[in-house]
Amino acid sequence: MNRMIKLQQLSLGVFMLTATLGYGQKKPLDHSVYDRWENIAMKQLSNDGQAIIYQVVPQEGDKDLVINRLSDNKSQTFNRGEKAVFTSDSRYAIFSIRPFYSDVKAVKNKKKKEDEIAKDSLGIFNLFTQEIVKIPSVKSFKIPLKGSNTLAYLLEKEKDTTKAKGTKIAKKADKNEPLDLVVFNLQTKTERRISNVTDYFFDEKGNYLVYVTTDPNKKKKKETEDKGEAVQDSVPSIQETKIAEQAYGVYALNLETNKESVVFKGEGTFSQFNFDKEGKQMVFTYTKDEEKVLVKTYAIYQAQLPKEAKLLLADKIKGMPKNWVVSENYTPQFSKNGKRLYFGIAPQSIAKDTTLIADDHAIVDVWHYKEDYLQPQQLVNLDKDLKKSYLATVDLAKRNAIVALADETSNYTSLVDEGDATIVFQASDYGRRVEKQWDISGVTSYYIVDVRTGARKEIIKDLPGRASISPKGTAVVYYNSQEANWYVYEVKTGVRKQLNKGVSVSFAEEEFDMPDLPSAYGIKGWTDNDESVLIGDRYDVWEFYLKGNKAARMITNGYGRQHNLTFDLLQLDEEKKSFDRNEKVIAAVFDNQTKDAGYFYVNLKTGENPTKIIVENYGGFTSLSKAKNASIYAVTKGNFLHSNDLYVGAQLNQMTQLSQLNPQQEEYNWGTNELVHWTTPNGYEATGVLFKPEDFDATKKYPMIVYFYEKLSDNLNRYEAPAPTPSRLNIPYFVSNGYLVFTPDISYTDGYPGKAAEEFINSGVEFLKQNTWVNGSKIGIQGQSWGGYQVTHLVTVTDQYAAAWAGAPVANMTSAYGGIRWGTGMSRQFQYEKTQSRIGKTLWEGYDLYIENSPLFKVPAITTPLVIMHNDNDGAVPWYQGIEMFMAMRRLEKPVWMLNYNGDEHNLMKRQNRKDIQIRQQQFFDYYLKDAQAPVWMVKGVPAVLKGKNWGFELTEEKVN
């Protein structure tokens, strides 16, 4: 059947034909099916493209790891396989084997102790011989990213039990307990065992394995030494600490010669290890302070492998800002050429006074009107802020002083040309942060900072938009959303020019419908040597040259706009930062009319019409990946009818399907979907998607549920598994059980979000009600969050819906406006003035609009039964919004229920809660739309005395009054 339908096409004859195609009797989905429904969780091609690993994951239960040798399509499945990787030579797959899901769940539910279940095992799979070696009790494993035949893994400590009064007592292992490290040569099958290892690292090329050892009796010795002694409050500077000659510390094993060398002798805490690209240099962060010291002193050591490490940086080094120190929370990184080190510094932390007694002093948050960030926002980000680091650098040839590159006024600082450039790129909204509580986009200033001197130069001030620096750092490209123009700033000359001057097409989002400045479609990539930047409009991709006055050109030749296709260039080599202008690039495409998707070739050099590879009614095409050293591709794709499966091949239009997920779907009455188009009362062309049962019969009348959240039609070809809902509508479940489901797109007008919902949702429903197979008296509506708001609004202005379900709705915009999004700590004001709520004015400027769009003030008009889900740990919409709506309807004796899943979030996160709400949602709609029996929870509720004892699911002959 045509997937795009007009009313005049919905003739009885067409649907009679569809109904007689012989689907056979299939059972409807029920609540027992969810756990075994599977999806592809990960996929990885070997470097030579001759093998692939992928993971098949049920919604609940043990995962399967599949390793397929593509040359002869031989595959093996390993139950509970996790964290799989290929060796760089494509000879082996290495993975962990987890304990059984049921055992892990039993530990979580305290039905078993952790030491009663098996530890992780290690799997070593030979891709050529198809042989598997399994090693039990492996805590972790690592292999080098490139080169080397070496695998290293830490062995769990054998279960240590001691008898006490005839009973075995398991000693709980310390997570930092020293363990045996096994260094295994995959080629020679020889191993080396190293005792008392706490951590280990490979350099990228696999030249060295570096590991940390510690005294296994250190803790016991320290406890003996400290018995009766006071806790040390301070320690001498690292520079003044003499490292004792001990057998424990940091060691390096040369993987070619098998020779071991000492990198650092001495006890302490070692962390943040990193290597240069060639694997010749290494740095790490070190402190000698004991764990109980509240404020520790850190230093960075550098080693020219295999030589011993030397102190590189400490708190007293020249260039360190006053009262600042080396940060232990930032992993130092070498520049690509290895000549410079970038690391983190931070203000010296203040030790908490542990002598204070909590009951003797106040615990108070002080909110100040001039603080950059609200107190709730500060509290949400407290841990992150305590660990915040600011970028600094040191020239490794000089080593005599550091250069601080950022401070507390900076938002972020990024390296340029992988650290080889003489500048870094920096952004800051300092001085403009307070206003972001109502103007979330705000403005940002951008800087380039000289890594040799720390001199900071402002290049863009208060930009309403975003800026990016080119890979080599020769140019900064930015979009001014106020002007809807793209600009380039040449770093060397300081010359600034408008890139899209004389180009008539818009680069701002054309269908943006919020009371804010529209964003750009964005940068799609760069070409080699910073020659040009590739920028998208709604459909096509343009090339703008970064130097000179060469005219812009459209590399997709207008093909996208001409055919209603949106192009997005794909960089399939993760190591490449730019595109070669002489190559053909693969672009993902999306058909905005049919919602089909696929791939085209785009010729960057010629700019001729793109060449179609494949376009079909599947979704998931942006998941494309490529083998590093071969033209072999892998992609997961599916649509509403077909589960997301894995496809592999050398040609994107001739790929082989590897997985066959969810064959059980054939047992169940599934569904079909199709685009629907209609015209709204005010003349807008509207689109939606209609879902129908697989056994649809046009001679019958079907109840219909309308589900909405802004625009959903682009998801036409997305697969949706039967699953317990996080508070939305699981479409396959309801369609399988004899419902029509309709998802209309909504476009908005500033200040009138409620009327927009009426305009598009109600008119779409009226359009479909003209079909005899829609039961116009049995229509329900469901929405979550913003959709939940629209549900509560609609029931105040129409009585055409027989039942309504609103998840986490805003009921009162006047009180919600002044609330806090507790998940982020941010003010909610921006949401009403600039983004989704779309009022476009402050509360005092648009008071009438806030009242008009608040369902709470129109509750007396409601005749539709309503269920509200609003949870007490909702971090997005304060749950008192649901309470306000519930209390008003309860006061007026209107049928209303409220579900509060204790401790759960805006969207339900706990699976047991999702399963619960799925049952209640089905029972609610079945009662009002199918005339089914009511459950006890709807008729009588569930009193607090029965909480956790009875869930009220039992059906009763009684009616809801």
Side-chain angles (χ1 to χ4, degrees), residues 502-522:
V503 177
S504 59
V505 68
S506 171
F507 290 91
E509 290 186 26
E510 293 181 15
E511 293 189 321
F512 189 77
D513 61 2
M514 293 183 185
D516 198 0
L517 298 172
S519 299
Y521 290 99

Side-chain angles (χ1 to χ4, degrees), residues 896-913:
V896 61
W897 299 260
M898 181 165 162
L899 306 175
N900 168 28
Y901 290 93
N902 300 171
D904 217 328
E905 302 179 23
H906 183 63
N907 293 295
L908 291 173
M909 302 304 293
K910 298 174 183 176
R911 188 165 176 82
Q912 65 269 30
N913 291 342

Side-chain angles (χ1 to χ4, degrees), residues 392-418:
T393 187
V394 62
D395 186 329
L396 294 173
K398 298 177 181 178
R399 304 166 60 99
N400 60 335
I402 71 167
V403 179
L405 302 174
D407 59 25
E408 291 157 306
T409 66
S410 319
N411 286 22
Y412 67 84
T413 305
S414 55
L415 302 187
V416 177
D417 196 16
E418 297 179 74

Side-chain angles (χ1 to χ4, degrees), residues 525-552:
W526 310 81
T527 58
D528 289 350
N529 301 312
D530 286 3
E531 186 173 354
S532 59
V533 62
L534 307 172
I535 296 175
D537 66 23
R538 183 180 177 184
Y539 302 99
D540 292 293
V541 181
W542 295 70
E543 181 176 34
F544 296 99
Y545 295 91
L546 298 177
K547 294 180 182 178
N549 296 311
K550 206 170 179 181

Side-chain angles (χ1 to χ4, degrees), residues 151-358:
L151 161 69
Y153 56 90
L154 272 181
L155 289 170
E156 293 275 9
K157 201 148 192 172
E158 290 185 13
K159 186 175 180 181
D160 181 18
T161 61
T162 56
K163 289 187 177 182
K165 295 182 180 180
T167 305
K168 285 189 174 182
I169 301 173
K171 293 182 178 178
K172 191 172 182 180
D174 182 350
K175 66 177 181 178
N176 296 315
E177 184 178 20
L179 302 169
D180 284 355
L181 176 70
V182 177
V183 186
F184 183 70
N185 188 300
L186 292 161
Q187 188 171 7
T188 65
K189 304 298 187 289
T190 57
E191 70 173 45
R192 176 173 184 163
R193 187 168 294 207
I194 305 166
S195 300
N196 303 317
V197 174
T198 57
D199 216 342
Y200 59 109
F201 310 90
F202 285 104
D203 69 281
E204 187 177 285
K205 290 190 172 182
N207 297 324
Y208 287 94
L209 172 66
V210 172
Y211 53 91
V212 181
T213 64
T214 192
D215 185 349
N217 299 311
K218 175 184 173 184
K219 187 174 182 181
K220 188 182 293 184
K221 290 176 182 177
K222 190 62 184 172
E223 286 172 354
T224 303
E225 291 171 6
D226 287 347
K227 194 173 182 180
E229 295 178 3
V231 176
Q232 186 179 5
D233 290 322
S234 62
V235 295
S237 167
I238 291 290
Q239 292 174 305
E240 300 167 2
T241 302
K242 185 177 180 181
I243 305 300
E245 294 291 321
Q246 293 179 20
Y248 301 103
V250 182
Y251 293 82
L253 178 65
N254 186 309
L255 297 174
E256 184 176 353
T257 66
N258 209 30
K259 288 184 178 179
E260 184 183 68
S261 58
V262 177
V263 176
F264 186 100
K265 282 185 180 179
E267 291 282 8
T269 301
F270 306 88
S271 61
Q272 309 294 8
F273 285 77
N274 211 350
F275 301 84
D276 67 357
K277 288 285 185 182
E278 298 301 315
K280 295 179 179 179
Q281 299 182 81
M282 180 188 71
V283 288
F284 57 87
T285 302
Y286 170 74
T287 181
K288 189 176 175 64
D289 295 335
E290 294 294 331
E291 182 62 33
K292 59 189 173 184
V293 175
L294 296 176
V295 178
K296 299 177 180 64
T297 304
Y298 291 86
I300 295 176
Y301 278 76
Q302 179 198 17
Q304 298 286 346
L305 296 173
K307 297 178 182 178
E308 198 164 334
K310 296 180 180 179
L311 178 66
L312 176 64
L313 303 169
D315 55 345
K316 294 182 180 178
I317 193 168
K318 183 180 177 182
M320 182 73 75
K322 187 178 180 181
N323 297 325
W324 281 49
V325 295
V326 170
S327 172
E328 76 276 24
N329 298 306
Y330 186 95
T331 302
Q333 53 186 322
F334 291 94
S335 58
K336 183 173 57 176
N337 59 22
K339 295 180 180 180
R340 186 172 288 279
L341 185 74
Y342 294 89
F343 58 96
I345 60 176
Q348 174 73 60
S349 59
I350 300 171
K352 185 177 180 180
D353 188 347
T354 58
T355 65
L356 291 175
I357 299 172

Side-chain angles (χ1 to χ4, degrees), residues 51-89:
I52 190 168
I53 302 171
Y54 61 96
Q55 196 176 43
V56 178
V57 180
Q59 290 184 27
E60 189 169 332
D62 293 314
K63 304 172 184 178
D64 282 334
L65 186 74
V66 182
I67 303 176
N68 186 295
R69 192 168 69 184
L70 299 173
S71 54
D72 55 10
N73 197 30
K74 284 188 177 180
S75 68
Q76 290 202 36
T77 300
F78 300 98
N79 186 235
R80 296 170 286 119
E82 297 263 13
K83 302 176 183 176
V85 290
F86 285 114
T87 54
S88 62
D89 61 4

